[in-house]
Amino acid sequence: GFSVQLFNFHDVKKILKIPNIGIFIFLFFIIIFSVANIYGTFALLGHKFYGFTDRQNGYLFGIMGIVGAIIQGGLMKKLSVKLSEKALLFTGLVPMIVGLALIPYGVNFLGVAVISAVLSVGTGILQPTIISFVSKYSPEDSQGAILGFNSSMGSLARVLGPLWGGFAFQFLGYEAPFVTGAVFTFFTLFGTWYLIKTKRLELH
């Protein structure tokens, strides 16, 4: 076993060499980054582009929170029993991509609310799924250190995501944080599919 800090490159290198673990941690980082990337700009999009009130923006955040709680609060147990690990992963990635990509094109409040719910289904499935993969595929004597490192990468993503989102909104356009988040997640989906197909990532 070993302990690890985010910038202890020797231990980080050891972690990333463990089969599957580096891929899962990268997936976790991209997912958190892509979602955090829109949080600072979601309300701005509502105000400046859709003309939503503060109350309507609050409702949208509430919808996303409720859907995420439903998914993680009970539905995940049923899904994890019925679906394979591969199916569970893609069941989360696809709605996340769709949700991120379509939020700037929802037309009205109802459209954005439905799309936001779709996004929350994806993130609600993905976050606990990948954490469980990291735990399951970690060597027992290093599990705590690896989960800690994964958590640190998630924290880093929550810092970098809003920075990118603010930059993209300001200089690339109102839709840029959402579309770029969808693009990042799509490449993650494609990369994961390729790794599974070539057996470099083995899931049950």
Side-chain angles (χ1 to χ4, degrees):
F2 50 88
S3 60
V4 64
Q5 297 176 355
L6 186 56
F7 296 107
N8 185 330
F9 293 107
H10 176 69
D11 284 346
V12 167
K13 189 175 179 181
K14 287 171 66 179
I15 284 179
L16 298 180
K17 283 185 175 181
I18 300 171
N20 294 344
I21 294 300
I23 296 169
F24 293 142
I25 291 175
F26 177 76
L27 279 173
F28 189 72
F29 178 86
I30 292 295
I31 288 160
I32 300 297
F33 176 91
S34 297
V35 175
N37 151 50
I38 73 167
Y39 279 144
T41 54
F42 192 85
L44 288 174
L45 178 75
H47 282 306
K48 293 188 175 184
F49 183 71
Y50 286 113
F52 293 159
T53 63
D54 288 338
R55 178 175 290 183
Q56 286 175 310
N57 276 329
Y59 287 152
L60 291 172
F61 281 112
I63 288 167
M64 290 192 288
I66 290 169
V67 172
I70 291 171
I71 296 293
Q72 295 187 25
L75 196 56
M76 272 302 301
K77 285 186 178 180
K78 295 180 180 179
L79 289 174
S80 61
V81 170
K82 292 184 177 181
L83 299 177
S84 67
E85 291 179 346
K86 287 183 284 189
L88 200 58
L89 192 59
F90 291 120
T91 301
L93 282 168
V94 171
M96 182 174 170
I97 294 167
V98 170
L100 284 169
L102 294 185
I103 282 177
Y105 310 105
V107 180
N108 54 33
F109 178 80
L110 179 60
V112 177
V114 171
I115 295 166
S116 299
V118 171
L119 171 62
S120 292
V121 169
T123 57
I125 291 172
L126 280 173
Q127 291 189 35
T129 295
I130 294 179
I131 291 172
S132 72
F133 286 174
V134 172
S135 177
K136 178 179 178 179
Y137 288 92
S138 297
E140 287 188 13
D141 62 347
S142 306
Q143 191 176 77
I146 292 171
L147 287 170
F149 176 66
N150 188 61
S151 178
S152 296
M153 292 301 294
S155 297
L156 181 62
R158 290 183 181 93
V159 172
L160 296 179
L163 292 176
W164 167 253
F167 172 85
F169 190 92
Q170 182 70 31
F171 296 104
L172 303 178
Y174 71 89
E175 70 276 77
F178 308 89
V179 174
T180 56
V183 170
F184 296 149
T185 312
F186 173 78
F187 281 119
T188 300
L189 170 68
F190 180 79
T192 303
W193 171 81
Y194 177 78
L195 290 170
I196 290 172
K197 186 177 180 181
T198 57
K199 299 188 183 302
R200 297 179 188 180
L201 175 62
E202 297 185 5
L203 296 176
H204 302 126

